[in-house]
Structure formats: structure tokens, C-alpha cells
């Protein structure tokens, strides 16, 4: 069975500060890992994903994440937060195969202050 | 053009009613999904269809019945609505290998 843990349901950073959102997973097979962002009253938008290959993946809006197998982690970072980054962020895991379901973490709400 | 669309966007109804939510994708994907997001923002898979065939049914009450008339559409019908069904329901689609799922804007269901 696979699961995802997101440490910190709420993270607050100042504009211009580093953003670090934590995600740890458990999976019995090599995982596919995703970060999605949800803005208020909207659907989920894919930020970035890791499937195979390079462990540092870059996504949209300046975000990136590094897959660390030894730590079973896939933390999301952005060097400099912007007010527009305020949203709910979800880490998710799936695996290759027909109609693979996404298992989501509980989400982290990012607040960006002036 | 919207890749994954859902109708309606908002749905307010009384307990005991029957309602349907429609989903369409124009991405040419083979697989479609329904997820439920509860009031605490937790997202959980409900169903998955691949080429009109049910693949995943995550112990959802049988009051919920998905229907896929073709691989571009996956509708969700809910009978005898209960207060606990209030949530946001998201449709998603992906290629058959399930690598990346693209989500619709969600349907906000409120049962009174």
C-alpha cells in the first residue's frame, strides 16, 4: 500500500523567502511522485512530477522538487516566495500501470506575508 | 479549450434527492477518474474507468454510480443524497499508463 505524509498543514513565509514544503511517501514499488497546487475555489494544477531519470525536477512558477529514495522524500522548494504562491499544495504518489490511482497527502496551505 | 470540464460547477440540493455530475475530457485520454475532496481538503479516489470499463471502485456506497458512455465522458450519479455527501467532486483524466492526471475545476455539492 502506498501513502503520503505532508508535514505541516500550514506554512507561512515572508515574500521573498525560501519556500519548503515537505512530503514523505511510502510505496512498495518505485513511485511516481507529483505536486499539485490548488488555488481557492479552483481545481488542481500540476506543478511538477517525478517518474524516472533525473531526481531534481523543475516545474512551473519557479518550483522544483528533489526525489530522495534513501529518505523517501519529495520536498517542494522555491527560492523566493511571491504573494501569488499562496494556495494549497498537495503531494501525491502513484505507480505505473493501467488506471493508477493517485494517493494524496493531506495538503499544506502556504501563506505568504509582506 | 478546457481540457477537462465538469457540469455543474455548483449544486445545492435537498437530502434524499438524486443528482448527476457530468465530466468531459478533450485530451484523448483513455482513463478517467472521480475524486472526492472533503471539508478538510482531503482528496480520495472514488472510481476509475479505462476505455469505458470500471477499473477502480474504492468502497464507495452503492448510492454512487459512475457511467461512461464513451471514453471522453464519465458521469457520476448519486441517489438518495445524504448530508455527508457534501463535498467537492473532481473529475480527472490520464493516459492509460496513469502517469499524469489532469483535473477538472470541480463540482461543489451542498446537501441541505
Amino acid at each position: 500500500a502506498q501513502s503520503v505524509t505532508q508535514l505541516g498543514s500550514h506554512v507561512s513565509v515572508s515574500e521573498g523567502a525560501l519556500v519548503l514544503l515537505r512530503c514523505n511517501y511510502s510505496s512498495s514499488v518505485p513511485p511516481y511522485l507529483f505536486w499539485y497546487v490548488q488555488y481557492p475555489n479552483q481545481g488542481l494544477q500540476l506543478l511538477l512530477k517525478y517518474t524516472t531519470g533525473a531526481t531534481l525536477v523543475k516545474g512551473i512558477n519557479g518550483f522544483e522538487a528533489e526525489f530522495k529514495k534513501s529518505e523517501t522524500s519529495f520536498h517542494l522548494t522555491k527560492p523566493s516566495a511571491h504573494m501569488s504562491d499562496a494556495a494549497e499544495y498537495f503531494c501525491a504518489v502513484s505507480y505505473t500501470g493501467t488506471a493508477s490511482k493517485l494517493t494524496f497527502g493531506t495538503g499544506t496551505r502556504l501563506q505568504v506575508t509582506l | 479549450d478546457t481540457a477537462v470540464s465538469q457540469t455543474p460547477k455548483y449544486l445545492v440540493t435537498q437530502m434524499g434527492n438524486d443528482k448527476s455530475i457530468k465530466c468531459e475530457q478533450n485530451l484523448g485520454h483513455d482513463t478517467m477518474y472521480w475524486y472526492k475532496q472533503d471539508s478538510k481538503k482531503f482528496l480520495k479516489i472514488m472510481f476509475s474507468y479505462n476505455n469505458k470499463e470500471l477499473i477502480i471502485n474504492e468502497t464507495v456506497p452503492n448510492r454512487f454510480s459512475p457511467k461512461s458512455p464513451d471514453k471522453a465522458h464519465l458521469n457520476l450519479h448519486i441517489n438518495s443524497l445524504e448530508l455527508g455527501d457534501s463535498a467537492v467532486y473532481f473529475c480527472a483524466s490520464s493516459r492509460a499508463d496513469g502517469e499524469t492526471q489532469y483535473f477538472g475545476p470541480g463540482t461543489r455539492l451542498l446537501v441541505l
Side-chain angles (χ1 to χ4, degrees):
Chain A
Q2 53 200 24
S3 65
V4 177
T5 301
Q6 289 184 242
L7 287 177
S9 60
H10 184 238
V11 170
S12 182
V13 300
S14 300
E15 191 173 36
L18 172 72
V19 175
L20 171 60
L21 304 183
R22 299 179 187 275
C23 173
N24 289 87
Y25 70 92
S26 68
S27 177
S28 56
V29 296
Y32 287 176
L33 294 159
F34 305 82
W35 276 100
Y36 282 87
V37 61
Q38 185 179 28
Y39 298 101
N41 296 317
Q42 293 190 27
L44 284 84
Q45 181 182 6
L46 180 69
L47 272 179
L48 49 79
K49 66 180 181 183
Y50 169 80
T51 53
T52 58
T55 56
L56 181 63
V57 292
K58 296 185 185 298
I60 61 171
N61 302 338
F63 284 94
E64 61 182 38
E66 186 171 10
F67 169 60
K68 292 187 177 180
K69 185 178 178 180
S70 61
E71 298 177 7
T72 61
S73 68
F74 191 58
H75 301 330
L76 182 71
T77 60
K78 181 174 180 178
S80 177
H82 192 271
M83 296 295 287
S84 61
D85 295 327
E88 192 89 24
Y89 291 80
F90 292 94
C91 183
V93 62
S94 77
Y95 55 91
T96 186
T98 301
S100 300
K101 64 179 183 180
L102 280 171
T103 299
F104 284 91
T106 49
T108 298
R109 175 163 296 231
L110 176 64
Q111 181 182 18
V112 182
T113 59
L114 288 171
Chain B
D1 283 342
T2 303
V4 182
S5 59
Q6 295 179 228
T7 53
K9 190 170 183 179
Y10 298 96
L11 188 52
V12 181
T13 188
Q14 299 287 329
M15 248 188 344
N17 284 351
D18 303 337
K19 290 294 178 184
S20 292
I21 306 172
K22 295 186 176 182
C23 177
E24 177 181 2
Q25 55 95 3
N26 62 8
L27 297 167
H29 288 163
D30 290 328
T31 310
M32 296 184 73
Y33 312 79
W34 278 110
Y35 287 85
K36 179 180 180 180
Q37 185 175 45
D38 64 22
S39 58
K40 296 185 178 179
K41 301 283 188 181
F42 185 63
L43 281 149
K44 193 170 191 304
I45 183 80
M46 298 175 70
F47 301 104
S48 170
Y49 269 73
N50 180 260
N51 274 323
K52 304 193 297 177
E53 181 183 347
L54 181 65
I55 300 297
I56 295 173
N57 181 341
E58 286 283 311
T59 60
V60 176
N62 57 17
R63 297 182 296 104
F64 291 79
S65 53
K67 284 187 173 53
S68 183
D70 55 61
K71 73 175 193 177
H73 296 84
L74 180 62
N75 304 323
L76 183 65
H77 188 76
I78 316 170
N79 289 327
S80 304
L81 278 155
E82 300 178 356
L83 294 177
D85 297 333
S86 295
V88 183
Y89 293 85
F90 286 102
C91 177
S93 73
S94 73
R95 293 182 303 171
D97 62 11
E99 189 176 286
T100 299
Q101 295 182 23
Y102 296 87
F103 283 77
T107 295
R108 285 147 186 83
L109 171 65
L110 177 61
V111 183
L112 302 174

